[in-house]
Amino acid sequence: MVEQRQHGRTPVHNSEVYLLRQMPPTFSTIPPLSPPSPITPAEDDDFCNGMPIEALSLSQPAIAVADEKLAVEERLSNAVHVLSTETTALQNLTALYSTDRFAREGFNRAVEAITRRNHPKYPHHQHNSHSRGATDGKIVVIGVGKSGHIAKKLVATFNSLAIQAVFLHPTEALHGDLGQIGPRDTFLLITFSGKTPELLTLLPHLDRSLPLILLTSHTRPETCELIKHRPDTILLPAPIHEPETKSFGVSAPTTSTTVALTVGDALAIVASRELHPSVASVFAKNHPGGAIGAALRKPSSSEKSARELAVRMEMIPLLDIPPEKTATGADVLRAGYASPSGWVRLQTGDVISPRRIRKLDSADLVTGLGELKGWLVTSKKEFVPVAADSSVEKAAEWVLGMRVALGDGQYEDNAIVAVMDRGECVGLLEVGSLMEEA
């Protein structure tokens, strides 16, 4: 030990055990020596079957792939968070307009304000029916920033649904554009905060005799700055359940513009339905272009004939049952399922329509056809004749008139229309299908 210290070396440590006690008389009781310490990996060139530690570590390409996968997952997770947040906002908005008195009253008043100045029952239409567009009121939609973009989209929606609307920028309004406001117009202001400076500046210059609808985040009038300056404002709430800063870490208008656009769409659709007998018709007239226009150019019910809608007689197969067997509801169901048209015809010329086949229940499947005839089978004498060249619209009007006049059930939805050409039945049609097509 002394020599080692003198030469600057430290003692060698190992796991050998030295017994410092008196040797017993016999060696049989001496415990075995401790095993030697295992060789450390550094001392063994064959560690991990000869593979050095560096070879077991991840390579740079493998790390890059893992990082890319994590980045993709994070990207999609963020996207789902946005979608989920905006969905929650719309769900809360639906609940608000389903239950909240202020929201429901505001929406009702807003629709009335629009329809009252556009509906043909009001006196000014009677005197100016030849120049409807020149005398009817329009909706003047006002907003700035992102609310201005929402305003422009709603203007396009209103116009496509045959409700005249224009966009008015609040700054340009103060520089001459106030001249486009007419005496029968309705204002629709869009501001999430309810205190947009440009709108507050414009407000005193808007005709107080014209209705003003405010689309805003506020759900009560007393909290909205703009309404304090004009108490007769119609409040149309479009709140969000949490601030966008909390949702996304930034105050960029996202959820707030989604709910504003949704309430505006609801207002446009509902008002148009009350102003026009057929919203689909006016939309088709105003939107002839693009894929939507192409889809809407399909033949209308006034152009399509009853012959085109009817199922031809040759497309209705016979119920083929051996003479020795009694037909049951199950046989009818199988035949209807196999029929290309869903119809089934009997040897007598009577028919079973798809609507009636669908009414078969489990008990009817084991019941004889003779017992089911009362409601399942339509005899030829019950057919409602319609000229083959009649338009679907005209045929439906005639059937509806007969239904109202007779009221005996003969012209209900499961009744059968016989499409006649020169005294011959060329096809059949359910009354319900005729009404749906019309």
Side-chain angles (χ1 to χ4, degrees):
M1 293 287 288
V2 174
E3 292 178 359
Q4 290 174 343
R5 291 181 185 278
Q6 289 175 348
H7 289 80
R9 292 181 296 175
T10 59
V12 176
H13 296 280
N14 58 36
S15 60
E16 294 177 348
V17 177
Y18 296 91
L19 302 177
L20 303 178
R21 61 187 176 84
Q22 188 175 358
M23 186 70 67
T26 62
F27 293 97
S28 61
T29 59
I30 299 176
L33 298 177
S34 299
S37 300
I39 300 174
T40 60
E43 298 171 347
D44 187 1
D45 291 337
D46 292 330
F47 177 63
C48 293
N49 297 322
M51 182 180 294
I53 293 178
E54 291 76 8
L56 297 177
S57 61
L58 289 174
S59 63
Q60 288 301 321
I63 294 175
V65 170
D67 288 345
E68 183 178 354
K69 288 183 177 179
L70 288 174
V72 169
E73 287 301 320
E74 183 179 5
R75 179 185 300 158
L76 294 175
S77 176
N78 290 336
V80 169
H81 172 63
V82 175
L83 297 174
S84 175
T85 301
E86 299 203 4
T87 299
T88 300
L90 292 177
Q91 290 172 339
N92 289 345
L93 189 67
T94 301
L96 179 75
Y97 279 90
S98 299
T99 60
D100 185 79
R101 179 174 63 87
F102 285 94
R104 293 168 68 85
E105 288 181 356
F107 191 88
N108 184 54
R109 290 177 60 200
V111 173
E112 287 184 349
I114 294 171
T115 56
R116 186 170 60 244
R117 292 170 173 269
N118 288 272
H119 204 284
K121 73 179 181 181
Y122 289 98
H124 77 284
H125 289 271
Q126 299 173 3
H127 301 295
N128 300 282
S129 57
H130 64 284
S131 57
R132 175 179 169 86
T135 58
D136 281 356
K138 62 183 178 293
I139 303 175
V140 180
V141 191
I142 307 172
V144 68
K146 300 299 185 293
S147 293
H149 293 298
I150 297 299
K152 293 176 183 178
K153 188 275 174 187
L154 291 179
V155 165
T157 299
F158 277 115
N159 284 324
S160 68
L161 297 175
I163 301 176
Q164 292 187 0
V166 296
F167 171 71
L168 180 63
H169 192 283
T171 303
E172 297 298 332
L174 297 175
H175 292 266
D177 282 0
L178 283 171
Q180 64 182 295
I181 299 173
R184 300 193 57 81
D185 290 349
T186 300
F187 297 117
L188 172 59
L189 275 63
I190 305 177
T191 164
F192 180 77
S193 67
K195 57 181 180 181
T196 303
E198 292 88 344
L199 297 185
L200 290 173
T201 302
L202 174 65
L203 192 61
H205 304 281
L206 298 180
D207 190 340
R208 295 187 69 91
S209 68
L210 302 181
L212 190 150
I213 304 167
L214 179 64
L215 182 55
T216 181
S217 66
H218 295 269
T219 58
R220 295 294 182 268
E222 59 269 17
T223 65
C224 182
E225 183 67 25
L226 193 146
I227 296 180
K228 293 177 182 177
H229 294 273
R230 184 161 170 173
D232 62 338
T233 297
I234 300 171
L235 175 62
L236 206 57
I240 56 178
H241 61 292
E242 64 181 16
E244 286 149 328
T245 308
K246 180 178 180 181
S247 299
F248 311 123
V250 61
S251 58
T254 46
T255 313
S256 59
T257 51
T258 297
V259 295
L261 183 60
T262 304
V263 175
D265 285 342
L267 183 64
I269 292 290
V270 173
S272 183
R273 283 180 175 173
E274 295 194 14
L275 287 169
H276 307 292
S278 174
V279 176
S281 297
V282 298
F283 182 75
K285 179 181 178 181
N286 294 333
H287 200 304
I292 292 177
L296 293 174
R297 283 194 293 274
K298 293 178 180 178
S300 67
S301 60
S302 61
E303 299 170 339
K304 188 181 296 185
S305 67
R307 186 197 302 269
E308 295 176 82
L309 191 60
V311 176
R312 299 192 309 274
M313 296 302 294
E314 59 267 27
M315 294 295 294
I316 305 178
L318 284 171
L319 180 62
D320 189 15
I321 300 294
E324 67 276 8
K325 182 183 176 183
T326 301
T328 64
D331 296 316
V332 173
L333 183 63
R334 278 193 292 268
Y337 182 79
S339 170
S341 61
W343 291 68
V344 176
R345 185 160 47 103
L346 305 182
Q347 293 287 352
T348 59
D350 300 339
V351 296
I352 307 174
S353 67
R355 286 176 189 265
R356 300 200 182 199
I357 292 176
R358 287 195 293 268
K359 290 183 178 180
L360 289 167
D361 59 27
S362 56
D364 296 328
L365 299 182
V366 294
T367 304
L369 183 57
E371 297 181 46
L372 300 174
K373 272 192 174 183
W375 66 269
L376 182 62
V377 179
T378 304
S379 67
K380 291 187 293 184
K381 64 181 181 181
E382 295 176 295
F383 290 172
V384 179
V386 168
D389 294 330
S390 298
S391 69
V392 170
E393 183 178 353
K394 292 295 183 183
E397 288 177 0
W398 182 81
V399 171
L400 184 60
M402 296 298 293
R403 176 189 291 181
V404 174
L406 299 178
D408 60 357
Q410 185 178 353
Y411 295 88
E412 296 304 313
D413 284 354
N414 58 2
I416 306 301
V417 172
V419 178
M420 309 296 293
D421 185 12
R422 300 176 185 178
E424 180 185 357
C425 179
V426 295
L428 298 177
L429 181 64
E430 291 175 309
V431 168
S433 299
L434 177 66
M435 295 302 179
E436 290 170 2
E437 189 68 21

